[in-house]
Amino acid sequence: MATKIILLPGDGIGPEITAPTLELLSAVGTNFDYEEHAFGGASIDAHGTALTDATLAACRAADAVLLAAVGGPKWDSTDPSRPRPEQGLLGLRKGLGLYANLRPVRPLAALYDASPLKREVIQGTDLLVVRELTGGIYFGEKTRTAEGASDLCAYSRVEVERIARVAFRAARRKVSSVDKANVLETSRLWREVVRELHGAEFAHVELEHVLVDNAAMQLISNPADFDVIVTENMFGDILSDEAATLTGSIGMLPSASLGDAGSPGVFEPVHGSAPDIAGLGVANPLAMFLSAALMLRHGLGMEAEAAAIESAVDRALADGLRTRDLGGSASTHEATQAVLSNL
Ligand code: NAD
Ligand code: IPM
Ligand code: MN
């Protein structure tokens, strides 16, 4: 049976970076059975909700999900009763049990000068953010009254242990567990569970605990010191956008969201729908290309094809490809041609 991929182009630049990604996937010799679904704001417009039951069921039954981005000013509202595109993303992650979000940050030498940070600072950086994706403040009970609002942050031992295990297994050198244990009870539990798992199963891996405010500073002053960063949902969200600065642009960072073996993964760039440039044909498609590579590697076991995409991206950049976010003027189309010609 053909490999089934659910495509969720979503909103904003989403469709503009999805189409060239399919070209690239076919150029590396894949022959997938694609099924496209409206998602996020597009799904709100079509069906009144950001994620329909039918779309979630289709994702569950697929081999992998390739997602671009959701959201935009059209659906932004402070009214809690209005549907939001982002609810689709959260519902998909929760619905598929995708608790592990892997965000590799591997700045390429060709792009050192595209970063606002100094070359000497970036050099040698090759880190992985392992972000917990289905717990914490994102999913706790929310309240809203005329006078106030609250978001509950909760974690169970099981939730912390399973994400910590992903991090230890991915580590080559060291795990930096990032928390706010000097203030938050959830962080104290986090630290305790990570420490226990380390002692019981991963004592051969170096472990350090870093407070999140310090981690945010170290990430751009001494990034090469990190190997694997494991952290809770919201800290991971913020730190990964910060880490994107090391690679030259948020338009470079891919991600893989994985659950337990057997559940399909979701593969998507770290960036959003970039409403400020949507429709202009200038979005950087590379984070989406690299997300497709992660899909091939982690979701479908196609390492050779994954590596082919990654090295074509590297070579195109080494040849001078620069989209606007990287300080150049290449359009999405030109960027796609540059990568295709380096395959
Ligand atoms: P954003 O990541 O969409 O954009 C931030 C900045 O980076 C903008 O200046 C944008 O033009 C630029 N940028 C992002 N991706 C780019 C690319 N591929 N090429 C060139 N430039 C790029 O973040 P935001 O503006 O804070 O959010 C916009 C919307 O996206 C919001 O509705 C937000 O909720 C949503 N969002 C969705 C996802 C997702 O679907 N996974 C992730 C983040 C934000
Ligand atoms: C991301 C995004 C999402 C998140 C939003 C859009 C819900 O910022 O994937 O990083 O916060 O997880
Ligand atoms: Mn984010």
Side-chain angles (χ1 to χ4, degrees):
M1 223 171 56
T3 301
K4 179 95 176 199
I5 309 289
I6 302 298
L7 285 180
L8 305 175
D11 309 316
I13 61 169
E16 297 167 45
I17 58 175
T18 303
T21 306
L22 300 188
E23 261 183 79
L24 185 61
L25 281 167
S26 111
V28 290
T30 65
N31 185 19
F32 299 140
D33 178 8
Y34 293 109
E35 185 181 306
E36 188 175 318
H37 286 247
F39 186 58
S43 176
I44 292 176
D45 290 351
H47 310 292
T49 173
L51 172 64
T52 64
D53 293 343
T55 297
L56 181 58
C59 291
R60 270 205 190 103
D63 293 293
V65 179
L66 187 58
L67 188 163
V70 298
K74 180 177 178 190
W75 305 280
D76 273 339
S77 162
T78 56
D79 176 352
S81 68
R82 295 273 299 274
R84 288 197 64 99
E86 293 82 358
Q87 290 164 343
L89 205 50
L90 302 181
L92 184 67
R93 291 167 178 172
K94 195 73 166 180
L96 296 179
L98 306 174
Y99 60 86
N101 184 220
L102 311 182
R103 299 182 159 186
V105 181
R106 188 178 56 103
L108 298 175
L111 291 182
Y112 286 170
D113 294 325
S115 171
L117 298 164
K118 291 194 189 81
R119 166 183 287 266
E120 310 83 82
V121 171
I122 305 168
Q123 252 161 7
T125 302
D126 182 2
L127 63 86
L128 175 69
V129 177
V130 176
R131 171 189 176 194
E132 199 292 322
L133 202 60
T134 51
I137 197 166
Y138 274 58
F139 290 94
E141 191 200 350
K142 297 177 187 304
T143 69
R144 174 80 174 263
T145 65
E147 297 313 315
S150 69
D151 297 277
L152 178 74
C153 182
Y155 269 108
S156 68
R157 282 187 169 268
V158 170
E159 288 175 309
V160 180
E161 190 179 309
R162 66 186 181 182
I163 192 70
R165 182 168 278 111
V166 171
F168 283 123
R169 284 190 178 144
R172 287 161 302 180
R173 190 158 61 74
K174 178 168 79 165
V175 168
S176 306
S177 174
V178 172
D179 63 35
K180 187 73 183 173
N182 51 348
V183 177
L184 302 177
E185 207 52 53
T186 41
S187 283
R188 288 189 277 267
L189 175 81
W190 181 281
R191 198 174 271 221
E192 194 171 287
V193 173
V194 170
R195 191 181 282 145
E196 284 170 7
L197 180 68
H198 177 249
E201 294 178 33
F202 297 99
H204 55 285
V205 180
E206 186 187 342
L207 169 66
E208 65 176 359
H209 302 278
V210 189
L211 296 172
V212 63
D213 43 356
N214 180 24
M217 184 272 286
Q218 298 287 345
L219 192 54
I220 48 172
S221 55
N222 202 7
D225 195 45
F226 290 106
D227 175 16
V228 170
I229 293 176
V230 62
T231 191
E232 64 111 76
N233 204 340
M234 188 156 76
F235 297 161
D237 178 44
I238 298 168
L239 292 179
S240 51
D241 268 39
E242 187 193 11
T245 311
L246 296 158
T247 66
S249 166
I250 185 84
M252 292 302 302
L253 270 203
S255 89
S257 302
L258 307 173
D260 285 322
S263 53
V266 171
F267 303 86
E268 56 166 320
V270 169
H271 65 73
S273 57
D276 52 335
I277 57 165
L280 302 181
V282 299
N284 180 350
L286 299 182
M288 184 72 178
F289 293 173
L290 295 171
S291 300
L294 293 183
M295 174 178 83
L296 295 170
R297 174 175 300 122
H298 293 288
L300 305 171
M302 300 172 76
E303 173 60 32
E305 291 83 351
I309 291 184
E310 288 167 349
S311 60
V313 167
D314 290 5
R315 278 199 291 268
L317 290 164
D319 278 359
L321 165 65
R322 298 286 183 276
T323 42
R324 288 211 321 208
D325 54 312
L326 293 171
S329 61
S331 65
T332 307
H333 177 73
E334 287 162 345
T336 305
Q337 294 312 311
V339 174
L340 284 172
S341 69
N342 276 286
L343 264 185

